[in-house]
Amino acid sequence: MEILSRNRRLRKSDALRQMVRETSINTSDLIAPLFLKEGPNGKEEITSMPGIYRYDLKALMQEVQELYNLGIKCVSLFPVIDENKKNPNAMESINPEGIYQLAIKEIKHSLPEMLIMTDVALDPYSSDGHDGLVDHKTGQILNDETLEILCQMAVLQAASGSDIIGPSDMMDYRVGAIRKALEAAGYKDTLIMSYTAKYASNFYGPFRDALNSAPKKGDKKTYQMDYGNASEALRELQNDEREGADIVMVKPGLAYLDIIKLFSEHTCLPIAAYNVSGEYAMIKAAAKMGWIDENKIVHEILTAFKRAGASMVLTYFAKDMAKRLNE
Ligand code: PBG
């Protein structure tokens, strides 16, 4: 028997395996999502996301500093709004004195090099728990009517110091409208990371627990994508490119690696993957049962996002992964 091509030669030792490794995950690829709440009572753990907290401003600042020290250079902020401040018009979203704006300013002030990504959607502020305004007669989630407040949010966040605007409502013409509003207000260097292919997914449950933001009625299927579709993601990609997105995101991540790969074959823009709350919760739960090795699995899945074509990953594992990469 003559075997001339032996792929195992390259797998013989750690040194060889590392030398020929095609992708690896680095601290600079990680974006840490953080939940910010009204103070003052420090931090409280989210039941369905062990190890992840809602922080008041003071606790948030400490966490951001720790992340920065570990080499994480971008945080993505989500606000937890008190129920009595929610209303159908989501007015708290454009309160210049609200905790969200305060946090952006405070981080920029104390850590100017930390990149801040901010969320532009109504769900944290809406008493309806939807990402857009709701017509209460018909139950419809309104597309065009929601644009004005979203543009106001984006400009306010940019003025506070946000580096990256993340329109997360998955409705039409968000990127174009926000891009125009930012240009008109003089924020021409503010980036937009579009939630380009965001699926109507069952993996968002723990996030909605964290914000208490689940829809009061209905679901999000008239705006988020059907998980049976891939070509539709390319249509979304074309729109976002035309409308001026700087980074395009696929969300959730693990069940959608094919979409990340598809994007990598169709765009020259950087691609982000969002390793969402439900994916985090599943790994945490299985690890707690002793059924999987959490650290090894996290390294494997984060590497897989890179292999599929993502340049960066939003992940609740960011801090843990950074700690281990620093070891
Ligand atoms: C809503 C939003 C969601 C997430 C980020 N922004 C949930 C949703 O669409 O209902 C989910 C993130 C996660 O699950 O980690 N604008």
Side-chain angles (χ1 to χ4, degrees):
M1 187 166 62
E2 191 183 39
I3 304 178
L4 299 178
S5 173
R6 291 185 183 272
N7 285 327
R8 289 188 61 188
R9 275 186 220 117
L10 287 170
R11 300 179 198 138
K12 200 166 55 183
S13 69
D14 223 23
L16 272 167
R17 287 191 295 269
Q18 283 180 29
M19 199 161 67
V20 300
R21 174 160 246 187
E22 297 168 42
T23 33
S24 50
I25 184 85
N26 306 302
T27 311
S28 54
D29 307 325
L30 304 172
I31 299 175
L34 293 173
F35 298 109
L36 165 70
K37 67 174 170 95
E38 212 89 47
N41 35 19
K43 61 179 194 179
E44 73 197 20
E45 195 169 32
I46 297 153
T47 313
S48 50
M49 302 178 77
I52 299 296
Y53 300 83
R54 304 180 188 92
Y55 297 95
D56 73 2
L57 186 52
K58 192 157 165 253
L60 182 89
M61 291 310 296
Q62 192 186 329
E63 180 67 10
V64 172
Q65 180 71 57
E66 283 175 27
L67 290 169
Y68 189 79
N69 295 345
L70 286 166
I72 290 178
K73 297 292 162 58
C74 186
V75 291
S76 174
L77 300 180
F78 293 99
V80 180
I81 303 297
D82 289 345
E83 289 305 305
N84 60 18
K85 287 194 178 153
K86 296 185 183 182
N87 60 36
N89 296 325
M91 290 311 285
E92 183 62 17
S93 65
I94 47 169
N95 176 3
E97 317 286 311
I99 44 163
Y100 205 56
Q101 314 306 324
L102 285 181
I104 301 167
K105 286 182 195 159
E106 185 101 4
I107 296 171
K108 264 297 133 184
H109 176 74
S110 61
L111 276 176
E113 272 145 61
M114 179 61 101
L115 292 170
I116 306 173
M117 174 171 169
T118 52
D119 187 53
V120 173
L122 300 189
D123 52 308
Y125 315 91
S126 155
S127 47
D128 294 309
H130 275 289
D131 291 37
L133 298 171
V134 180
D135 178 337
H136 289 110
K137 278 201 205 93
T138 62
Q140 265 191 6
I141 321 298
L142 301 168
N143 193 83
D144 303 11
E145 291 81 348
T146 306
L147 280 170
E148 189 183 325
I149 191 165
L150 295 180
C151 289
Q152 288 176 21
M153 282 174 80
V155 169
L156 185 61
Q157 292 170 6
S160 299
S162 170
D163 299 283
I164 307 174
I165 302 293
S168 67
D169 79 8
M170 198 52 206
M171 297 184 213
D172 291 324
Y173 195 56
R174 274 37 193 163
V175 174
I178 290 170
R179 175 57 74 209
K180 278 194 183 160
L182 289 172
E183 287 283 330
Y187 299 107
K188 59 182 191 309
D189 291 328
T190 305
L191 285 87
I192 298 177
M193 183 191 294
S194 178
Y195 284 60
T196 302
K198 176 174 177 181
Y199 286 86
S201 170
N202 301 298
F203 284 96
Y204 306 148
F207 177 97
R208 294 176 189 171
D209 293 345
L211 264 60
N212 194 21
S213 64
K216 296 287 181 323
K217 255 200 208 139
D219 54 40
K220 299 192 177 186
K221 288 180 184 166
T222 66
Y223 44 109
Q224 301 176 349
M225 278 178 56
D226 184 331
Y227 55 71
N229 296 354
S231 298
E232 187 183 348
L234 289 180
R235 297 205 296 279
E236 292 284 352
L237 175 62
Q238 286 167 353
N239 285 353
D240 284 353
E241 288 193 321
R242 254 199 315 269
E243 293 174 26
D246 301 285
I247 301 169
V248 289
M249 185 207 289
V250 174
K251 176 183 176 187
L254 284 180
Y256 299 85
L257 292 177
D258 59 324
I259 307 299
I260 298 173
K261 181 76 183 164
L262 189 67
F263 272 23
S264 75
E265 289 159 354
H266 285 85
T267 186
C268 297
L269 290 176
I271 299 164
Y274 199 143
N275 177 211
V276 300
S277 58
E279 301 170 11
Y280 178 86
M282 289 194 306
I283 289 172
K284 281 290 181 184
K288 191 173 168 199
M289 294 301 287
W291 293 340
I292 59 168
D293 181 325
E294 177 179 333
N295 291 354
K296 287 182 175 162
I297 283 213
V298 169
H299 191 271
E300 181 176 340
I301 64 168
L302 294 179
T303 304
F305 288 126
K306 297 285 304 283
R307 192 192 63 234
S311 310
M312 65 203 87
V313 189
L314 292 95
T315 177
Y316 303 97
F317 291 112
K319 190 179 190 183
D320 280 357
M321 188 73 263
K323 277 187 197 157
R324 289 196 299 279
L325 289 170
N326 285 332
E327 270 163 17

